[in-house]
Amino acid sequence: MSSKNILSHSCEHLLAYAILNTYPHTLLGTDSKPHHNGFYYEVRLEKQLTTSDLTEIEKEMRRLISLSLNFYHFDLRHKEAISLFSLCKQIYKIEILKDIKSNSVSIYKCGNYFDLCRGPHIKNLNQIKEFKLLNISSSYWKSNKQNAILYRIAGMAFPSINDLNSYLKLLEESKKRDHRNLASSFDLFSASNPLIGAGLNIWLPNGAIIRSVIEDYLKKIHLLNGYNFVYSPHIASIDLWKTSGHWAYYKDSMYPPMCVDKSSYVLKPMNCPFHITAFKAHQHSYRDLPIRLAEFGTVYRYELPGVLHGLLRLRGFTQDDSHIFCEFSQIDLELRNIISLALTILKKFGFCKFEVTISTRPDKYIGTLKQWEIAEDSLKKAILYHNLKYSIDIGNGAFYGPKIDIKLKDSLNRLWQCSTIQLDFINALQFDINFINKHGKLEHPIIIHRALLGSFERFIGILIEEYAGAFPFWLAPEQIRILNISEKHISFSKSIESILKHEGFRVKTFLKNEPLSAKIRNAQTDKIPIVLIIGDKEISEKQVAIRLRNSSHLSMEINSLIAYLKQLE
Ligand SMILES: [Zn+2]
Ligand SMILES: [Zn+2]
């Protein structure tokens, strides 16, 4: 464990200790895996916990630090450990212990707090210099819906006050850009209407424009890259989900079935089974492969109420999903092309820093070892081909194939998971889809699942925060606003509006009877990329005065304006 992780992990114990002191009947659940400088602890409390309680807990954490307590390690026999945690009625710790098979159990003690842990920790609590509790969310014990809901309290530890301060600055900047706050002022979306239901979003007019512009762009570039689009329904018979394995392995994330004509139907949590069925509509030969089926497919997943977060985490969202059916020997080239497409698309939105992870073979897997080796090697080669670095998440692949995740870094250096490219050796077998190979025999294709933006909702949420409402010209819902200086300039303004509309631009004339300065201020607040000002001079010279978002000015006649705007798209 790195020293940063040790500090963070120790702070997590400090948090548990402070909660126990503040709320003595707290039941401790599990803590987080060490991850950079973030940590969390899951606890069960009778009391309703709110963010204002975090200050109280932080205060107690500071008090404990000031006592300069040491961490002590000791081992207990399994039975003794059970008695110890039974004494203080820590039922979740006992449950964890029951899953531990070894005879001896490692315990750490600090003051009168003790916990199950293998360590390592800092020596003394006074080594914790700075920390901050960040938020509370909720999760089911062991992620099982049948179990009780626990609070997950998350925080961060920092090696110095400077690190804490720069983090707080980042938080403040993130808050200013929070897409949920910008949603209504920019008429973008409404994702928290209780009458509609938790986690279900409506795109308001401006948000709907952004989404459709992105859809158009994606559609075009996918067609150019040899994809074919399909459409599939939002619900399907439960038998489909049994065949795909979702009902056995993914049920907890699905909406419950509804009964129609004595059959059960379920809202779709994924698009894969539909695309596989679409592939099966014909008998294919190796000459047809690869077949790339794409869909902007809306899926519904049950997410815990506590994790729903604006557009970033919804229960209904639309993926830019595709499934590629190919021969094993075609994997290399397909992966290379998918990454190339992902990078082209993400760069179009201005992102150029990425972090790539490969998740490799878990302990339980299907397919042959040889297949996995070749597949993992293909993933690495494809990433290196694009001069990207990658890290490996050993054993964290799905049991049916390894995958690549691409995270993008935004201008605040925050990482966002976007593209996923997943190899799949099993679904072709489960659905018994095949093609006729070169030797005239039936063979199962390999399936590559891939979503490049992830979902429109989440990606646009990221974009709103990245641009803080100032969308680039090609995405801006209102690209051009025409301001007339006085009433006598209305008809010329309207004629310019009509010309630009016919050229395909999103343009509005702002006719309110207000002073020009107020209209300009308004356009600035609305972050309109291009403002055209029409007065006597413009009409007599058949020109338009242009004001850009950065307040610089240009002047040109209408044909040059059209050419200028076209190169902005
Ligand atoms: Zn520990
Ligand atoms: Zn899929």
Side-chain angles (χ1 to χ4, degrees):
M1 222 192 277
S2 73
S3 60
K4 217 171 173 184
N5 283 345
I6 293 174
L7 181 74
S8 166
H9 172 72
S10 307
C11 203
E12 183 176 288
H13 285 297
L14 171 64
L15 164 65
Y17 190 1
I19 296 172
L20 279 173
N21 281 356
T22 318
Y23 311 107
H25 297 295
T26 304
L27 295 175
L28 298 179
T30 40
D31 50 1
S32 58
K33 275 190 197 167
H35 176 71
H36 300 298
N37 39 356
F39 61 83
Y40 67 77
Y41 214 112
E42 288 179 347
V43 295
R44 187 168 163 200
L45 279 177
E46 292 313 321
K47 172 189 157 52
Q48 185 95 353
L49 207 60
T50 63
T51 37
S52 58
D53 296 315
L54 295 182
T55 324
E56 217 33 52
I57 300 171
E58 281 183 341
K59 217 164 103 191
E60 177 60 10
M61 288 169 79
R62 293 218 160 78
R63 190 187 70 83
L64 290 169
I65 291 175
S66 73
L67 298 180
S68 296
L69 300 166
N70 276 329
F71 274 99
Y72 295 101
H73 174 244
F74 58 96
D75 287 319
L76 282 183
R77 287 213 300 273
H78 195 273
K79 240 165 77 191
E80 293 168 335
I82 296 232
S83 320
L84 178 68
F85 286 99
S86 305
L87 264 179
C88 45
K89 300 192 176 68
Q90 288 293 348
I91 51 167
Y92 297 119
K93 293 291 168 189
I94 297 170
E95 256 192 67
I96 297 170
L97 273 167
K98 283 182 180 159
D99 291 335
I100 298 177
K101 296 287 170 252
S102 85
N103 283 329
S104 147
V105 180
S106 166
I107 311 271
Y108 272 85
K109 185 176 182 307
C110 183
N112 55 9
Y113 157 83
F114 51 89
D115 208 339
L116 277 175
C117 190
R118 283 196 214 101
H121 303 110
I122 48 174
K123 272 208 173 91
N124 191 294
L125 282 185
N126 63 20
Q127 286 168 261
I128 298 174
K129 298 297 172 213
E130 297 297 337
F131 67 88
K132 176 107 191 104
L133 296 184
L134 297 169
N135 59 54
I136 306 170
S137 56
S138 46
S139 59
Y140 289 107
W141 169 240
K142 290 187 170 172
S143 308
N144 184 338
K145 260 200 278 182
Q146 317 299 331
N147 291 338
I149 292 183
L150 272 60
Y151 288 114
R152 176 182 284 195
I153 303 175
M156 272 197 162
F158 303 90
S160 73
I161 183 88
N162 285 346
D163 292 299
L164 170 66
N165 284 341
S166 52
Y167 184 74
L168 291 179
K169 215 183 251 169
L170 174 80
L171 268 191
E172 202 182 307
E173 185 54 34
S174 311
K175 212 180 251 172
K176 262 193 252 162
R177 291 161 178 248
D178 190 321
H179 70 288
R180 293 167 301 178
N181 301 335
L182 300 177
S184 70
S185 44
F186 288 96
D187 201 27
L188 295 168
F189 67 91
S190 161
S192 55
N193 189 322
L195 193 58
I196 291 181
L200 301 170
N201 176 52
I202 301 181
W203 288 107
L204 299 178
N206 282 343
I209 291 174
I210 294 171
R211 173 167 162 175
S212 77
V213 170
I214 297 177
E215 279 187 9
D216 291 348
Y217 165 67
L218 286 187
K219 197 152 205 177
K220 224 163 147 183
I221 199 166
H222 276 79
L223 290 173
L224 212 61
N225 280 273
Y227 287 77
N228 286 309
F229 278 82
V230 293
Y231 293 95
S232 61
H234 288 222
I235 63 171
S237 153
I238 200 164
D239 296 334
L240 181 77
W241 307 108
K242 283 181 180 164
T243 308
S244 66
H246 284 93
W247 197 243
Y249 297 104
Y250 202 70
K251 198 170 154 197
D252 281 348
S253 298
M254 293 166 76
Y255 275 75
M258 59 187 107
C259 189
V260 182
D261 296 340
K262 293 185 185 154
S263 300
S264 289
Y265 286 79
V266 189
L267 275 172
K268 68 165 159 177
M270 291 191 196
N271 303 300
C272 336
F274 296 99
H275 295 186
I276 296 170
T277 313
F279 176 88
K280 215 178 175 177
H282 303 288
Q283 176 62 61
H284 293 289
S285 115
Y286 70 94
R287 286 189 208 91
D288 305 330
L289 303 186
I291 287 177
R292 308 179 190 92
L293 299 180
E295 180 179 9
F296 301 145
T298 304
V299 295
Y300 300 88
R301 295 179 188 171
Y302 176 75
E303 297 277 6
L304 288 172
V307 302
L308 297 173
H309 183 96
L311 292 180
L312 300 180
R313 198 90 176 248
L314 288 164
R315 285 179 177 167
F317 52 91
T318 305
Q319 298 177 302
D320 60 323
D321 209 0
S322 286
H323 294 88
I324 296 167
F325 303 84
C326 63
E327 292 189 68
F328 198 81
S329 62
Q330 292 172 322
I331 290 178
D332 265 357
L333 187 59
E334 282 309 304
L335 289 174
R336 205 193 280 178
N337 290 342
I338 296 168
I339 295 175
S340 166
L341 185 59
L343 296 179
T344 305
I345 291 170
L346 296 174
K347 283 176 182 167
K348 169 86 176 163
F349 294 92
F351 298 111
C352 47
K353 288 185 195 158
F354 308 103
E355 270 190 17
V356 185
T357 312
I358 299 180
S359 300
T360 58
R361 182 172 49 82
D363 294 338
K364 282 185 190 157
Y365 61 93
I366 72 127
T368 64
L369 205 60
K370 188 88 199 140
Q371 255 182 336
W372 275 84
E373 275 169 15
I374 297 173
E376 288 176 5
D377 203 45
S378 299
L379 296 180
K380 289 175 196 164
K381 275 193 290 190
I383 297 168
L384 290 176
Y385 177 84
H386 290 284
N387 289 322
L388 292 168
K389 288 191 186 119
Y390 61 84
S391 58
I392 294 198
D393 197 349
I394 298 168
N396 210 24
F399 72 95
Y400 51 85
K403 67 165 178 172
I404 296 176
D405 284 310
I406 303 178
K407 289 192 179 111
L408 62 83
K409 216 177 234 186
D410 71 8
S411 50
L412 298 182
N413 273 330
R414 297 177 299 179
L415 282 171
W416 302 94
Q417 166 62 41
C418 286
S419 315
T420 302
I421 305 161
Q422 167 81 57
L423 288 178
D424 172 3
F425 307 138
I426 194 174
N427 265 298
L429 274 72
Q430 273 168 331
F431 280 87
D432 193 25
I433 54 166
N434 48 51
F435 63 95
I436 299 167
N437 69 16
K438 287 184 186 78
H439 313 292
K441 297 231 166 69
L442 289 179
E443 188 179 322
H444 294 301
I446 300 296
I447 302 176
I448 306 175
H449 309 243
R450 42 113 297 183
L452 304 184
L453 300 183
S455 81
F456 285 95
E457 288 77 4
R458 196 177 133 75
F459 192 75
I460 293 172
I462 296 167
L463 289 183
I464 296 169
E465 301 206 357
E466 175 70 0
Y467 303 134
F471 293 97
F473 184 77
W474 75 283
L475 276 179
E478 185 181 343
Q479 297 175 300
I480 305 155
R481 185 175 291 178
I482 302 175
L483 308 180
N484 57 317
I485 293 177
S486 77
E487 266 185 32
K488 58 182 173 164
H489 310 122
I490 290 179
S491 86
F492 187 73
S493 299
K494 280 281 179 193
S495 69
I496 299 280
E497 180 187 320
S498 164
I499 293 169
L500 293 177
K501 265 192 180 151
H502 279 91
E503 290 293 332
F505 297 110
R506 297 183 290 278
V507 51
K508 279 183 189 159
T509 306
F510 193 81
L511 289 171
K512 266 191 203 161
N513 196 11
E514 278 176 8
L516 183 65
S517 58
K519 289 185 183 182
I520 290 176
R521 252 198 323 276
N522 222 311
Q524 271 171 334
T525 314
D526 293 345
K527 307 205 172 170
I528 309 296
I530 302 277
V531 174
L532 305 180
I533 298 162
I534 309 290
D536 288 340
K537 182 167 169 267
E538 284 70 30
I539 294 176
S540 68
E541 292 174 8
K542 292 203 163 27
Q543 293 243 332
V544 285
I546 305 163
R547 192 177 197 282
L548 305 179
R549 196 147 53 192
N550 64 9
S551 301
S552 58
H553 294 267
L554 298 167
S555 176
M556 55 183 85
E557 54 94 23
I558 187 76
N559 284 332
S560 317
L561 172 69
I562 291 168
Y564 171 76
L565 295 174
K566 289 217 158 135
Q567 53 86 35
L568 289 180
E569 285 218 298

